[in-house]
Amino acid sequence: MLYHLYELNHAVLHPLREAAGLGKKLFDSKLNPLAYTYPGKLINASCDLFESLTRRYGKPEFGLKETKINGQPVAITEEIAWEKPFCRLVHFKRNEDDMMKAYGKEHHDPRLLIVAPLSGHYATLLRGTVEAFLPEHEVYITEWVDARDVPLYEGNFDLNTYVDYVIEMLQALGPGANVMAICQPGPPVLAAISVMSEDDDPALPATMTFMGSPIDTRKSPTAPNHLAKTRPYSWFENNVIYTVPINYQGAFRRVYPGFLQLTGFITMNTENHVNAHKDYFNHLIEGDCDSVQKHREFYNEYLSVLDLTKEFYLQTISEVFQKHSLAVGEFYHNGRLVKPETVTKVALMTVEGENDDISGIGQTQAAHDLCKNIPQEMQFDYIQPGVGHYGVFNGKRFRTEIQPRLRDFFRSFFDVNKEAALRKEQVEAKDKETKAA
């Protein structure tokens, strides 16, 4: 019922939103003399703020059209490298001719699979992360699909499906890739690599990196961790799960709605968000275009959210935050016990933020305790001073202090000859598929 009320509220506000949009255009026009007066600016700012607070924010675009290598522009195109109903693997393919100009010869870089969090926001939240790696890596990222857009006939998506997806993506990329799990994906990615290691899967990655991940939330518990522990499983099932309305492709699917997640995000820092919008209103009146643009860019991303399937959300609450199944050695994947101690050939790096209020210090480092049979010379840990959760994977300190360490870590386990042979093999296989088609 709540989901339907949310949709009804959006529909009811539509005429007011349209009126606000019209007022915004009218009092923002250079042809309108009133636009230059204080009352005119006040009306314009009020209309803008109302429209921005009540409109629906769709999925953002990455918008990464080029990168620079050795000072030369290199065009970027997005390609779908792998796809299933609930996820697409996006490859930011660098133009080969531009690469030749930049290097003067054939060149191979490490492949990097960034597993974006499935916790409310779209993968585009990691746009800056992707951008930082593009000059020196072949970058792929998981683009999770909004559950309300997936028809019921496509089946369910739970934590086991998530693990299967990660395994399939790594198999599609081939051996020797680097996988980087940011926040939520930590446990399922570690589970996937544990299963692959026990099976001695030839597609094992060269490295795995966990950043601000809830591997063991018993360590330095934060406010979200306390919430998950103090409320019983039944509370989450009865209070945050709703049915997708009939006007979406995923009609009748049971989900944890994005708008509820967004409410939780905002509630955690209500004062900051209120102040940010007050500043935005004042900047509109003052005509501070730079500040206005920065606000819009941030909130266009922040307010864009997606729904999670009921089974995935509830299983994550239970297994990761309440039972700590992976940390205590009781996590099962499709009925099979997951054994992180079987990982011996994949190098491990963990990254944490000193001021992280989502995944506290030690929660990500716990991966080292679980993967106890990885040789010490293949294990690395780094705590970034002065950053919170978001700063672990984005922002100035990420670009200048964290990303260079990750780059060096990937390069330490990179075999350029094997990479060249693999690329040649993949190109030949693709050519055969094309000819056969």
Side-chain angles (χ1 to χ4, degrees):
M1 180 60 72
L2 182 64
Y3 210 136
H4 291 78
L5 288 175
Y6 170 75
E7 291 294 320
L8 178 62
N9 178 69
H10 182 73
V12 167
L13 288 176
H14 179 72
L16 294 176
R17 206 163 34 249
E18 288 294 312
L22 181 61
K24 178 181 169 183
K25 290 180 180 178
L26 179 62
F27 285 93
D28 196 35
S29 172
K30 294 180 180 179
L31 299 178
N32 183 359
L34 292 177
Y36 300 93
T37 67
Y38 181 79
K41 293 178 181 179
L42 191 63
I43 294 173
N44 178 43
S46 299
C47 291
D48 190 299
L49 184 61
F50 179 82
E51 192 273 337
S52 66
L53 288 174
T54 60
R55 73 182 176 91
R56 189 71 55 80
Y57 288 81
K59 176 182 168 295
E61 300 295 326
F62 277 101
L64 299 173
K65 301 301 182 183
E66 73 169 33
T67 187
K68 284 200 172 181
I69 299 176
N70 292 333
Q72 297 293 319
V74 175
I76 302 293
T77 55
E78 293 182 27
E79 295 184 346
I80 304 301
W82 174 94
E83 187 171 14
K84 281 292 180 73
F86 291 90
C87 185
R88 291 182 289 269
L89 183 59
V90 179
H91 176 205
F92 296 90
K93 185 175 177 60
R94 300 175 298 178
N95 183 274
E96 293 181 5
D97 291 337
D98 291 346
M99 289 283 287
M100 283 293 291
K101 292 178 183 177
Y103 286 103
K105 60 179 181 179
E106 185 177 1
H107 180 83
H108 298 286
D109 282 321
R111 285 163 294 134
L112 173 61
L113 167 58
I114 300 176
V115 184
L118 180 53
S119 55
H121 288 108
Y122 289 94
T124 50
L125 189 67
L126 304 182
R127 183 185 294 102
T129 315
V130 173
E131 190 173 23
F133 282 105
L134 276 175
E136 299 173 292
H137 302 80
E138 204 66 47
V139 183
Y140 300 77
I141 193 169
T142 57
E143 189 174 62
W144 302 104
V145 178
D146 193 331
R148 71 183 182 190
D149 294 328
V150 183
L152 275 176
Y153 62 75
E154 295 290 2
N156 293 335
F157 179 88
D158 61 11
L159 206 50
N160 290 297
T161 317
Y162 196 121
V163 174
D164 288 334
Y165 274 23
V166 173
I167 292 173
E168 289 183 33
M169 284 185 277
L170 286 171
Q171 290 172 338
L173 291 183
N178 303 275
V179 58
M180 186 170 77
I182 296 176
C183 189
Q184 171 273 319
V189 168
L190 179 53
I193 294 174
S194 298
V195 170
M196 294 176 73
S197 294
E198 188 175 11
D199 293 343
D200 199 21
D201 193 311
L204 270 174
T207 73
M208 56 181 175
T209 302
F210 302 105
M211 306 178 70
S213 295
I215 304 294
D216 187 352
T217 58
R218 296 173 300 174
K219 301 177 182 294
S220 305
T222 60
N225 303 151
H226 285 301
L227 175 64
K229 290 290 286 185
T230 55
R231 301 290 177 94
Y233 178 89
S234 58
W235 183 91
F236 291 96
E237 187 173 24
N238 295 329
N239 290 278
V240 301
I241 302 299
Y242 294 91
T243 303
V244 175
I246 198 169
N247 53 311
Y248 292 103
Q249 283 187 301
F252 306 114
R253 184 179 292 282
R254 297 284 281 169
V255 299
Y256 175 34
F259 65 84
L260 273 186
Q261 300 169 70
L262 183 59
T263 301
F265 297 150
I266 292 175
T267 302
M268 287 178 63
N269 294 287
T270 304
E271 186 177 352
N272 290 341
H273 291 295
V274 170
N275 289 335
H277 282 82
K278 283 181 179 177
D279 292 339
Y280 176 62
F281 184 80
N282 291 328
H283 291 319
L284 284 168
I285 295 175
E286 295 164 0
D288 186 348
C289 298
D290 289 341
S291 297
V292 165
Q293 184 60 28
K294 287 179 182 178
H295 177 97
R296 286 174 177 166
E297 289 175 356
F298 176 79
Y299 278 100
N300 284 350
E301 194 76 54
Y302 189 81
L303 298 176
S304 300
V305 289
L306 48 77
D307 295 352
L308 310 182
T309 64
K310 166 188 173 180
E311 56 275 11
F312 168 75
Y313 174 74
L314 292 179
Q315 194 176 358
T316 299
I317 289 291
S318 175
E319 299 294 331
V320 177
F321 294 98
Q322 294 184 340
K323 296 179 181 177
H324 317 287
S325 299
L326 186 63
V328 300
E330 297 177 358
F331 184 84
Y332 285 83
H333 172 56
N334 293 329
R336 171 184 176 182
L337 182 64
V338 172
K339 303 173 183 176
E341 64 271 18
T342 61
V343 183
T344 58
K345 301 176 183 177
V346 183
L348 168 65
M349 183 170 183
T350 55
V351 181
E352 295 181 322
E354 180 186 24
N355 303 323
D356 195 331
D357 59 353
I358 303 295
S359 297
I361 293 292
Q363 293 188 14
T364 310
Q365 291 173 331
H368 294 279
D369 298 327
L370 298 177
C371 301
K372 57 187 178 182
N373 291 321
I374 297 177
Q376 283 300 311
E377 62 272 18
M378 293 173 63
Q379 296 191 47
F380 304 87
D381 174 59
Y382 179 67
I383 298 177
Q384 176 60 50
V387 302
H389 188 70
Y390 188 75
V392 170
F393 55 87
N394 221 327
K396 182 179 179 180
R397 290 192 176 179
F398 168 77
R399 294 191 302 271
T400 59
E401 300 182 51
I402 297 176
Q403 193 274 343
R405 286 178 167 84
L406 293 171
R407 175 197 60 207
D408 293 343
F409 172 62
F410 301 150
R411 295 275 172 185
S412 297
F413 300 92
F414 176 60
D415 188 323
V416 67
N417 294 320
K418 287 184 179 179
E419 192 71 19
L422 176 66
R423 297 288 179 84
K424 182 179 179 181
E425 182 181 312
Q426 291 175 335
V427 169
E428 290 175 348
K430 192 171 183 179
D431 288 342
K432 283 185 180 179
E433 289 180 8
T434 304
K435 290 178 181 178

